[in-house]
Every structure is written in C-alpha cells, then in structure tokens.
Amino acid sequence: MNLLFFYSLRNLLTRRLTTALTALGMALVVFVFAAIIMLAEGLQKTLVDTGSYSNVVVIRKSSGSEVQSGIDRLQASVVETQPEIGLGQNGSQLLAKEMVVLITLEKQDSASRSNVVIRGVSQASLSLRPQVRLIVGSLPRPGSSDIMVGKSIAKRFKGAGLGESLVFAQRSWRVVGIFDAGSTGYSSEIWGDVDQLMPAFRRPVYSSILFSLRNADDFQAVQTRIQNDPRLTLEAKRETVYYKEQSEAMATFLRILGLSLTIVFSIGAVVGAMITMYAAVATRTAEIGTLRALGFRQSVILIAFLMESLLLGAIGGCSGLFFASFLQLLTVSTTNFQTFSELAFSFTLTPGIAIKSLSFSLIMGFAGGVLPAYRASRMNIIAALREA
Amino acid sequence: MKEQRSNLPSKPPVIRITDLVKSYRRGSQSIPVLEHISLDIEEGEFLALMGPSGSGKSTLLNLIAGLDQVDSGSIRVDGAEITDFSEMALAAWRAGHVGFIFQFYNLIPVLTAFENVELPLMLTNLSKKARKAHVATALSMVNLQDRMDHYPRQLSGGQQQRVAIARAVVTDPTILVADEPTGDLDRYSAEDVLHLMDELCGKLGKTIVMVTHDPRAARKAHTLKYLEKGVLTDAPQIAVPERI
Amino acid sequence: MLLKLLFRNAFRHRLRTLLTIGGIAVAILAFGLLRTVISAWYAGVDASSASRLVTRNAISLIFPLPLSYKEKIRSVDGVRLVSYGNWFGGVYIDEKNFFANFAVEPGSYFSLYSEFLLSDDESAAFFRERKACVAGRKLARRFGWKIGDTIPLRGTIFPGNWNFVLRGIYQGKDKTIDENQFFFHWEYLNETLRKTMPRRADQVGFYMIGLKRPDQAAATAEAVDGLFRNSYAETLTETEKAFQMSFVSMSEAIITVILLVSYVIIVIIMAVVANTMAMSVRERMGEYAVFKTLGFGRGYLAALIIGESLTLTALGGLLGIGLTFPTARAFGRAVGQFFPVFRVSADTILLDVAAAAIVGVVAAVIPVWRIVQVRIAEGLGRIG
C-alpha cells in the first residue's frame, strides 16, 4: 500500500533528530561490519590471487611455510625428474628452485622495523608467476648483486627505492627494478638471483620448488609420487591451496574479532532503534486508536510500524555501506601471523558483502521494531482513543 | 421484529439495542456501567446522549460503534447483529458502516487533509480515480476544498473538525458517531460544526448518535436521552446548568 | 531534591530507561574488552625485565648465531650471566594447539628468569634428565598434563618427532607472567642435530644476557654488537622490552584498528543515549517551562538534564564494568593461544569510568541547549 509507505516515511522525517541519531547508530554498526568483512576478504583475495591453480609448490614436510622449509640439492634433483612438469617456450622446464629468508628492514615513516621476504629466484620464476610485472627499471642480471623489489616494499621501507642499495648478508645489493604484483603477496617481497643469495646467507639448501603442471589435472599423480618417495621428505600443494592456508590464521582471527564486535555493536544499535520505536508508538497512541476505529486491522498497524523501523535500518545501512566503500582507498600492512612476514593488502568490497551488510541492517531494523510494532497493534482501541 | 412507531412508515430502526449490559473490571471487582439498556434509533434521527461524567455515555457510544464488546444483550445495526462479530469482522464492519467524529479530531498529523479523508477509502476496493472523486465530494460538503493539501497543523480547530467530518462521511456510512464533537471548539467553530451535522442529518438523511456536555449541541439534536447510573431516561434527574 | 528529581525522572519511562542502561552496559563491556585485548598484546612488553638483554642475528630472527659467541659475550663488561636457546616451534598434535616452545640451557636460563618459580625437586629432576621438559601452569592445565607424562612434539624447523618427559610445572611470580611456555634441554636438541643434521649443530637462536646493573643496558648492548660487527653473523642486542615491542609493532595496523573500533563503540552509544535524552526532554518541555516560571535558573535546569544523563550512564557503566570480569575470563580462555596473559587492568576500569562520564555529558548537550533556549510561553504551549 502506497499510503502506508508514505505514512511510515513521513513519520520518520517529522522527528528528524531522533531519526538521524538512530540511523547514525545503525550506520556505524554496518560500517564496522562491512569494514571487517572487507578486510578479511581483501586478505584472502591477496593471498589466493598469489597462486596459480596449475602451479605446484613443494616444501619440506611439516614445515608449514617456505621460511621454515629446507630442500637439499639431491631432493631437488629428484623433483626435477617428474614427467608432469610443463615445458617453457625455449624447451626448458617450467621449474624454479627458490630460497626464501626473512630480513628486517626499517620502515620509511617510523623507526619501527618489519620482517621482509627475500626470495632467491631462478630463470623460470618470473614466467611461473604471470601476475608479476616489471614496471620500472630492469630485471636483475643473473650472477650480479642486483635485486628488484615489490611496489609495496619500495614505498614503505628505507633504502628500497630504485637505484638505492640495501646492505645485508655482508654485501651491498642494488635495487635495479620495481615490480608490480597486483594485489598478491609478492608486492611485499624482494627478489634476487638465488645462486647469489644462497651463498651470501650461507644456506646450502633451497626453501621451495615451484613448477607448472603440463596438465592441471596431473596434480594428484605428482603429489602422490612425491609424498610417497622414500628418498624425499617433501610435500606438494597446489599454489592456490598453499597461499590460502597461509592466510587461514589471520583471516580466521579477523573474522572472529569482526563477528564478536559486530554482535556487540548491533546490540547497541538495536537498543537505540527499540527506544525510538517505542517512543513513536507511545506518542501516536491516539492515532493508532483512530486508525483501528476507522477499520484498519491490527496487522496493518503492525506492518506500518515495522516498516518504519525497517526504513531506519535501510537508511542506516546505506549510509554505513557508503562510507565503508571509501575504505577501499586504504592499504593495510601488517605481519602475517603464520609466515611472520610483512603483508600488505586492502579492503575489498564485493556485491556479496554489500548484500550482507544491507541485510544485516534490515535485520537490526526488524529486531528493533518488532516488539514496539506488536505492542502498537495489540492496543485496546478505547484505551488508545482516550489518550487523545 | 418490526416495531411500529406512531408517525413514521413501517421501517425497522437503524439501531436496535436490547437489554444491553456492560461492566468494567477493576482488579477483582466488577463495576456495572450499563444496566439492561434498550433503545431504538430510527434512520435519519439525530440523537444526543447526555449525562454526568462517568455515567457510561461514551461506553454506550463505543458499543454502538463496534469498538467494544458487550457483556450481554443485543445490538442490531441495519439488520446486522454486531455482538456476534469477531474482532476482525468488526473492523471490516466499522470501515463500511460507521463514521467517527472525535472531540480532538484525531487527524493523522503526517497526512494532508485530502489524505486524511481518503484514509477510510483505502480499506475499500475503489480505484484511485473513484477515491479522488469521493474525497472531493466530501471536502466540498464541508467547504474545505481549497485547503485539501494542508497538514492538520496548518488548520484551525474548527477546520480540523470539518476535515474529520468529511472523513466520517466519505464512505457513506450507515451511522455517524460523535463523541463530544464541540468539546474543544470556540463558540463560532462549534456553531459551524453543529450546523454541518444538522445538514448531514437533514439533507443526506444520516443517522447521528452524539455524546455531549454542550447544551448548544443538545439543542441541535432531534432527540435527547439521559444516561445516569447506567439507566437510560428521557429527562434529566439533575438539572443541567446553562453554559454560556 | 535534585537527586530525587533526577532518579524519578530517569525512571519515568521504565522500559526506555532499562533499554538505555542495557545498551550502555553492553557498550562499556565491549570497550573494556577491546582495551583488555590491546593490553594483552602488550603483556609481553609489560612483563619484560629491565635487566635483561636479547642478542640475535642482525639479519632477522630466522638466522642463528654460533655457540662460540657465548664466551665472548660473557667477557663483556657489565654482563653478569649468559644463557642461550632456540625457538623450537614444535607442534603438539595439531597446529591449533599452538604454544611457545624453546630449547634452552636450563641452569642459566632459569637463573635469569627468576620469575619462573619451580620447586627444588622439580628443578633438580629437570636439570638431571636430558629429555626432560618444563611447562607453565596454564599450559599444563590446558592439556591436562601431569608430572611424568610424555609430551610428543612434531618438529617444523627441526624436523622429526621429538618426545619429552614432563618433570616440572612452573608458576609465575605474579599475574603478569606468561604461564604458557614450554622448555627443554638445548643439549638434547644439539646432540640430535649433530647426528642427523651436523650442519645445523652448535648454533643458537638467541642469547639472553643478565646485566650487572640495569642502567648499563645501552652501553652493554653496544659493546656486544661491537664485538661481532663485520663478521659473518652480526648481532643485534637490545633490551628485552625493546625486543618484545618489536613483535607488537608488527601487528601495529591491527592494534590501531582495534583502538579505533573501541572509540567507535563509544560514539554509537553516545548517539543512543543522546537520542533517549532528546526524547525525554522534548516530552517534558512544558514542565521545564514551568520550572522557569517558578524562578529556577538555566543552571539548575542544565544540572537536571546532565544529572539525569549521567545517572543513566553511571548505572549502565557499573553494570558493564561488573560484567567485564567474567566475560574477560571466558574470552581469555578462548583466545588463550594468541594471548597468554589476559587480564583486566585497573587502567581499563578507569577508562571505562571516564568513557561513561563523557558519554553522559555529551549526550546531554543538545537537550540542554534546547532547554536553555526555549522561552517560557513557548514551552508552556507544549503542554497542550
């Protein structure tokens, strides 16, 4: 009923301050709700995008991540003999033996330090990772002290800009290029020649092996073979799965934190809505009596008041979502609990999140209005009319 | 069923109340309000109900209007035995058969005069065009067509009451029920409103049952009844002072 | 008289008042909890000793230092005692059962960490046995360990299945000490490495240095680092507090978010209380006008309104603070693995009180302003 809608809407507009305050409460809750989910979404997106479905990561069994893993040359050569490994354009294997270590670098804007991943890469590393693109400068020359840094590192840390040098492992390394890895985790890494970095850090073993499958379905066969080989103490995972697991702890933490906060906040907002709606009902007692006297049914009264609180929820929800969408301009950098290294990611708004947030605000509106609306509909007509 | 009245042709009374009993509950006590009331109201009659406060006049009005339930007895309005109706049936019945005029107008503040009058029509199946026509007619009857887009707060007391009257007649109800319609009005507005009610009765043949304290209003009515201690009489037991 | 009015007015609308108080209680509870989470993050920092230094590889924590450094460090001026160890990173059955486990040199380590209390018998048993281990009281309770149990750990950094026998359960000297840690003999780790991975033997993850005098911290740290500058494994020596802080600052972003969120809660509840006050005052406009005609000044009226607002927030705040303790306890049990020490500090309570007071005052601002403005006649007109 059109009139019903306008009746509810106009009643909201009449008491502007009250409506604004109640909607503000709900908007804030939706803002926090959306922000936390957007953060968890952004985190997982970063880490999932970081992998390719047809790539396989091999690390030492039970090591958890590349940083704690070690693969000696003998084991590495066994892995290289797997028939399912794809071949590149020039006929060479699409396989890269890499070394991953953490170093501490000083941040650009504060004196605090953070652990940063240094990845020793080989020839095939770049082709195995199509998300990574050089944007400034040149690739590190094999056999030199050249390194290239991810966009996020160049921006955030001292001495990591183009042309500058970083000193570690008793050598000076020149930054010759900056690469963009989109929203993936590589943007927070520094890459150099593995054959230079390994001796510099005195590590005779690789950390991981990355290769591409000729056929994405071959994964099961390779995994079984590698994990059952008695000479090897390795495990193989799809790259996407590997990275998803890396974010598990943080994403879960964020989600739990976010959920518990939202529940608490929403109680506050719902309380606010209830107060407003009860007051609305109390003020319009005579009106309700009149409507009932005129012949409007109890259900109509119920719907009218419920609609009012739903509208409050909708207004709050839209505003909250609107402001939350601006969060996408921010980037968050923190240390991933699991890998212990620096990770930069941003808030990601998806249609799914928008729908969830709006539904949530409508639920809050409903929760706040259902009891007062019920009371309004159950009023005794004569008692209500007497309040005139 | 058909009762003959001396001057009028044999038409059944529009409202026939038989042996009505109503009490109110206060905790465990039962306070009787109406004691075996019987009353016939003919079509086109303008009846004024008077009596001291607390005598039960409003209670009787509410029962006739289908706003409350009797303890025992019968109320027949235009042939329908409303004491048998359920809550939902009463609501539907009120929408089509009763027009209300309250002391404090009871207009919906967030609706315009037009929309307030349109309100009862929303419960019918009429098209938007038909509704508009009915509202226009009702508003012209009370002489407020030029104010139809105004909100109640923009109208004077007398004008608001006239809008309320328009709302009361827009569905062409069987009976009009008025509870102290002039109670909140100044002398001139009260005169206007009573004149209107008189016309509705005379020209349109509407049956009006009015509860009032106001002797001016009482004078405009055709029939006067007194309610005292739950009993209906034709003459007051206590003298009603003239109010200026 | 004022108090009487305050109380009665506040409870005029019982449902509305109860709802408001409920909302305030929930908000204060959430605020207190978040603050507690933040202080839990800093628990390690707070429990740090000023007379201990941590030495580690300057490149990053994942690189080891040679065992040979020990004697050199001991000879530095100002050093009272040197201990060493490795972060073991073992997994007990499932990754979800995370707790900190270290291989340490038992005698020196427990001498340095005098806040870990072990009975003499337990100490002796631990020191004696190669495969013995010691666990904190909270940790032992969490898994139901008893003295004599065999505790298996799956190595991640040092692969293999390692078994230890629990010979001691330590208690913290006071409530701020982490009772979730696990220690075993460094020698056991090292001799196993010598057999299986000789390349990795004779290396430590960190050195713990006990200072003769806390005010010598900076100088001693500098001296130790100076010893190993320009060598293959350069060191970074800092106070234990600075070391713990570096961990906290890694999660800086998240801590900031939590802090911001805790302020947002306060704003939300401010909106709710302001709403309640605005409504109450609007309804009673006529009454306030009558007060004015009787001769009560603006100050009195303002005090009435602010007082009512504060009454609401005080009641809600008390309820919230009261609920904080049991909730924190439950929460602490749930997030035990992330935050070994989770308690509500006196500071947090003070902040709660301050928050309630501020909300009470701010929420009353607009209504007070309106009351002060309204003219008597206008106000009386509203009685209607």
Side-chain angles (χ1 to χ4, degrees):
Chain A
M1 219 196 280
N2 228 1
L3 197 59
L4 202 64
F5 178 76
F6 281 113
Y7 171 69
S8 302
L9 184 61
R10 275 189 228 167
N11 271 305
L12 277 180
L13 295 175
T14 307
R15 301 162 97 212
R16 248 171 289 237
L17 180 62
T18 299
T19 301
L21 284 173
T22 313
L24 173 67
M26 292 213 226
L28 280 170
V29 177
V30 171
F31 179 80
V32 170
F33 178 78
I36 302 272
I37 310 187
M38 280 163 67
L39 199 60
E41 181 75 27
L43 171 65
Q44 292 228 282
K45 185 167 169 303
T46 298
L47 289 170
V48 166
D49 282 354
T50 305
S52 282
Y53 188 67
S54 52
N55 280 357
V56 179
V57 175
V58 180
I59 51 175
R60 189 185 62 208
K61 206 186 295 206
S62 279
S63 57
S65 74
E66 288 172 298
V67 177
Q68 287 158 266
S69 150
I71 305 177
D72 64 39
R73 291 187 197 266
L74 203 59
Q75 297 195 41
S77 51
V78 173
V79 175
E80 282 174 308
T81 62
Q82 304 303 313
E84 290 89 347
I85 299 176
L87 294 175
Q89 280 183 327
N90 51 2
S92 61
Q93 276 192 319
L94 279 173
L95 178 142
K97 294 175 285 206
E98 300 180 345
M99 177 207 72
V100 172
V101 293
L102 295 176
I103 64 167
T104 19
L105 291 180
E106 222 177 292
K107 288 212 184 127
Q108 191 81 271
D109 51 4
S110 64
S112 62
R113 293 140 105 224
S114 208
N115 288 337
V116 174
V117 164
I118 296 211
R119 185 181 294 272
V121 300
S122 29
Q123 289 281 41
S125 294
L126 206 54
S127 17
L128 280 168
R129 297 183 174 88
Q131 319 95 323
V132 177
R133 280 178 354 260
L134 186 69
I135 44 175
V136 182
S138 55
L139 294 172
R141 292 161 298 161
S144 69
S145 309
D146 292 347
I147 52 173
M148 63 176 183
V149 304
K151 211 165 62 153
S152 172
I153 298 294
K155 204 164 42 141
R156 298 194 127 75
F157 292 91
K158 287 203 183 101
L162 191 62
E164 294 183 279
S165 293
L166 290 171
V167 178
F168 50 84
Q170 290 183 289
R171 276 167 70 174
S172 178
W173 308 77
R174 214 160 67 86
V175 179
V176 299
I178 300 181
F179 61 87
D180 182 358
S183 58
T184 71
Y186 298 124
S187 292
S188 307
E189 290 187 0
I190 300 178
W191 288 14
D193 183 354
V194 63
D195 293 321
Q196 292 297 307
L197 287 168
M198 274 172 74
F201 285 110
R202 310 247 176 145
R203 286 214 161 190
V205 299
Y206 299 106
S207 304
S208 64
I209 301 177
L210 182 70
F211 63 82
S212 169
L213 291 166
R214 206 183 307 229
N215 213 320
D217 300 322
D218 289 338
F219 174 68
Q220 206 50 54
V222 186
Q223 186 193 40
T224 319
R225 200 177 311 124
I226 289 181
Q227 294 187 173
N228 289 339
D229 192 323
R231 297 170 290 175
L232 310 174
T233 51
L234 304 173
E235 55 187 20
K237 294 192 174 122
R238 280 200 198 269
E239 205 183 6
T240 41
V241 172
Y242 171 71
Y243 279 105
K244 181 155 184 294
E245 288 173 359
Q246 300 292 294
S247 73
E248 212 75 77
M250 274 215 76
T252 313
F253 176 74
L254 282 176
R255 287 217 171 88
I256 293 180
L257 188 65
L259 214 62
S260 30
L261 281 178
T262 309
I263 291 176
V264 169
F265 282 26
S266 58
I267 294 179
V270 167
V271 161
M274 267 180 121
I275 293 176
T276 302
M277 291 312 298
Y278 269 121
V281 169
T283 324
R284 289 162 28 210
T285 307
E287 211 171 292
I288 296 171
T290 308
L291 288 170
R292 296 276 315 274
L294 289 177
F296 286 94
R297 299 233 292 265
Q298 289 173 313
S299 51
V300 172
I301 308 284
L302 181 77
I303 294 175
F305 279 93
L306 210 49
M307 203 183 284
E308 230 175 282
S309 63
L310 281 173
L311 274 173
L312 267 177
I315 296 173
C318 290
S319 335
L321 198 59
F322 176 70
F323 286 109
S325 63
F326 286 109
L327 285 173
Q328 292 183 101
L329 300 169
L330 290 175
T331 333
V332 176
S333 89
T334 184
T335 304
N336 185 339
F337 297 169
Q338 264 167 307
T339 63
F340 212 48
S341 54
E342 162 94 2
L343 189 63
F345 54 96
S346 56
F347 295 86
T348 310
L349 182 61
T350 66
I353 294 181
I355 293 177
K356 269 195 212 140
S357 308
L358 285 173
S359 317
F360 180 60
S361 67
L362 285 175
I363 293 176
M364 276 199 290
F366 182 85
V370 69
L371 287 176
Y374 185 74
R375 179 189 272 200
S377 71
R378 290 252 129 208
M379 265 192 214
N380 178 278
I381 306 178
I382 299 179
L385 286 173
R386 232 179 263 148
E387 295 252 346
Chain B
M1 260 315 162
K2 292 192 181 156
E3 212 174 277
Q4 300 278 345
R5 258 225 167 175
S6 30
N7 313 353
L8 296 165
S10 55
K11 237 187 165 199
V14 129
I15 303 175
R16 164 160 275 180
I17 301 169
T18 317
D19 208 20
L20 196 54
V21 178
K22 177 72 183 174
S23 327
Y24 275 125
R25 284 259 137 120
R26 271 278 160 85
S28 54
Q29 284 190 311
S30 183
I31 301 167
V33 181
L34 297 172
E35 308 262 26
H36 302 281
I37 305 274
S38 291
L39 176 65
D40 277 350
I41 304 175
E42 303 294 335
E43 190 172 349
E45 196 174 320
F46 189 162
L47 172 72
L49 264 179
M50 299 186 80
S53 359
S55 58
K57 347 185 262 298
S58 291
T59 309
L60 183 56
L61 200 69
N62 289 336
L63 287 168
I64 295 173
L67 290 177
D68 201 355
Q69 306 271 22
V70 304
D71 287 347
S72 75
S74 133
I75 303 178
R76 278 196 108 83
V77 180
D78 203 17
E81 179 59 61
I82 61 173
T83 53
D84 284 341
F85 284 13
S86 68
E87 181 68 48
M88 266 173 53
L90 273 177
W93 178 79
R94 283 198 300 272
H97 290 85
V98 187
F100 288 91
I101 305 169
F102 301 98
Q103 178 178 359
F104 293 109
Y105 338 127
N106 286 18
L107 296 178
I108 312 290
V110 298
L111 297 178
T112 62
F114 184 95
E115 287 163 344
N116 264 291
V117 177
E118 193 188 8
L119 206 50
L121 293 175
M122 304 303 284
L123 294 161
T124 65
N125 289 328
L126 292 174
S127 71
K128 187 159 179 165
K129 219 165 79 165
R131 291 203 300 265
K132 246 184 140 168
H134 277 80
V135 173
T137 312
L139 279 172
S140 63
M141 241 191 271
V142 302
N143 244 319
L144 274 175
Q145 313 93 297
D146 52 342
R147 300 287 223 144
M148 54 179 179
D149 289 326
H150 286 201
Y151 285 93
R153 63 171 180 277
Q154 296 167 297
L155 303 170
S156 75
Q159 289 169 328
Q160 287 187 55
Q161 191 61 298
R162 283 196 274 158
V163 172
I165 294 176
R167 178 181 69 188
V169 299
V170 78
T171 52
D172 199 22
T174 314
I175 58 175
L176 282 177
V177 149
D179 196 342
E180 308 274 7
T182 58
D184 206 47
L185 299 173
D186 64 84
R187 204 167 96 187
Y188 298 102
S189 310
E191 195 49 51
D192 267 337
V193 163
L194 288 169
H195 180 73
L196 248 178
M197 289 171 73
D198 197 20
E199 280 205 354
L200 286 172
C201 183
K203 293 211 184 122
L204 297 177
K206 293 286 169 199
T207 312
I208 306 182
V209 182
M210 174 178 71
V211 158
T212 185
H213 271 130
D214 189 355
R216 282 187 309 241
R219 269 201 292 271
K220 269 291 202 299
H222 301 166
T223 321
L224 221 53
K225 288 270 188 214
Y226 290 90
L227 195 54
E228 235 170 296
K229 297 202 178 125
V231 178
L232 211 52
T233 56
D234 285 327
Q237 311 288 70
I238 310 168
V240 177
E242 276 277 324
R243 256 201 258 154
I244 301 178
Chain C
M1 174 66 149
L2 187 62
L3 280 171
K4 234 195 286 182
L5 269 170
L6 280 182
F7 242 77
R8 292 209 198 140
N9 272 333
F11 280 92
R12 248 201 237 202
H13 244 121
R14 228 176 302 154
L15 183 57
R16 182 197 295 168
T17 305
L18 284 174
L19 281 177
T20 308
I21 292 181
I24 298 173
V26 168
I28 295 287
L29 175 64
F31 183 71
L33 262 178
L34 285 178
R35 285 272 148 182
T36 305
V37 166
I38 294 180
S39 54
W41 228 298
Y42 285 87
V45 176
D46 292 334
S48 309
S49 161
S51 50
R52 286 198 291 257
L53 296 177
V54 180
T55 299
R56 48 157 167 123
N57 194 312
I59 306 178
S60 79
L61 264 172
I62 69 166
F63 290 99
L65 294 171
L67 186 59
S68 55
Y69 280 18
K70 177 171 138 201
E71 288 309 316
K72 295 199 187 126
I73 294 177
R74 198 126 68 106
S75 64
V76 171
D77 211 15
V79 172
R80 178 174 65 87
L81 188 59
V82 178
S83 184
Y84 52 89
N86 279 52
W87 167 273
F88 187 65
V91 171
Y92 177 64
I93 303 174
D94 194 280
E95 261 99 1
K96 288 195 183 46
N97 300 331
F98 172 80
F99 56 86
N101 44 81
F102 301 91
V104 298
E105 201 294 290
S108 52
Y109 198 84
F110 276 83
S111 167
L112 213 44
Y113 278 85
S114 50
E115 60 262 40
F116 291 160
L117 304 172
L118 266 180
S119 76
D120 290 334
D121 291 337
E122 286 176 322
S123 297
F126 175 47
F127 291 167
R128 216 185 3 242
E129 209 174 316
R130 237 352 132 63
K131 290 175 127 189
C133 64
V134 166
R137 185 173 47 166
K138 282 204 189 120
L139 185 61
R141 201 186 308 155
R142 180 169 156 203
F143 296 115
W145 292 339
K146 308 255 175 331
I147 304 273
D149 283 353
T150 303
I151 320 283
L153 287 183
R154 177 165 51 92
T156 55
I157 309 175
F158 304 99
N161 288 315
W162 303 71
N163 290 315
F164 307 98
V165 186
L166 190 64
R167 288 293 174 211
I169 298 180
Y170 75 83
Q171 288 182 22
K173 190 167 64 166
D174 61 59
K175 283 224 171 64
T176 64
I177 305 298
D178 182 359
E179 287 178 351
N180 280 305
Q181 299 188 33
F182 182 99
F183 303 100
F184 62 92
H185 286 247
W186 188 88
E187 258 313 309
Y188 177 42
L189 171 66
N190 203 36
E191 70 182 24
T192 311
L193 284 177
R194 279 217 191 103
K195 281 183 267 179
T196 57
M197 284 174 277
R199 178 186 60 84
R200 296 176 75 179
D202 295 335
Q203 296 187 321
V204 307
F206 57 84
Y207 283 99
M208 292 301 296
I209 301 174
L211 291 168
K212 286 205 184 112
R213 281 173 24 212
D215 56 346
Q216 289 173 329
T220 315
E222 198 28 61
V224 171
D225 288 341
L227 275 179
F228 307 108
R229 196 155 290 136
N230 296 319
S231 74
Y232 142 63
E234 288 187 2
T235 60
L236 177 61
T237 309
E238 50 193 353
T239 62
E240 196 186 0
K241 207 176 209 90
F243 179 67
Q244 294 284 8
M245 266 306 290
S246 65
F247 285 101
V248 176
S249 63
M250 283 189 216
S251 306
E252 213 165 14
I254 298 193
I255 296 181
T256 312
V257 166
I258 295 182
L259 213 65
L260 283 174
V261 162
S262 68
Y263 293 133
V264 168
I265 299 182
I266 300 302
V267 174
I268 294 181
I269 209 61
M270 225 182 268
V272 171
V273 180
N275 192 14
T276 301
M277 288 311 300
M279 272 193 266
S280 302
V281 168
R282 189 199 356 248
E283 284 161 10
R284 292 185 243 140
M285 219 27 132
E287 283 168 46
Y288 292 117
V290 171
F291 268 99
K292 274 193 176 183
T293 59
L294 289 177
F296 287 97
R298 295 188 185 166
Y300 194 83
L301 289 180
L304 265 180
I305 297 173
I306 296 179
E308 192 177 324
S309 182
L310 280 173
T311 307
L312 285 176
T313 56
L315 288 170
L318 276 169
L319 186 60
I321 292 176
L323 287 172
T324 306
F325 290 96
T327 314
R329 220 172 297 146
F331 204 73
R333 236 171 283 153
V335 297
Q337 53 162 224
F338 291 122
F339 301 114
V341 177
F342 199 83
R343 34 183 290 278
V344 183
S345 69
D347 280 353
T348 305
I349 304 295
L350 280 172
L351 272 171
D352 277 344
V353 172
I358 293 177
V359 169
V361 171
V362 171
V365 161
I366 295 183
V368 166
W369 187 77
R370 279 197 178 161
I371 284 294
V372 158
Q373 295 278 59
V374 81
R375 286 192 310 259
I376 298 181
E378 199 185 311
L380 283 172
R382 288 228 199 182
I383 305 183

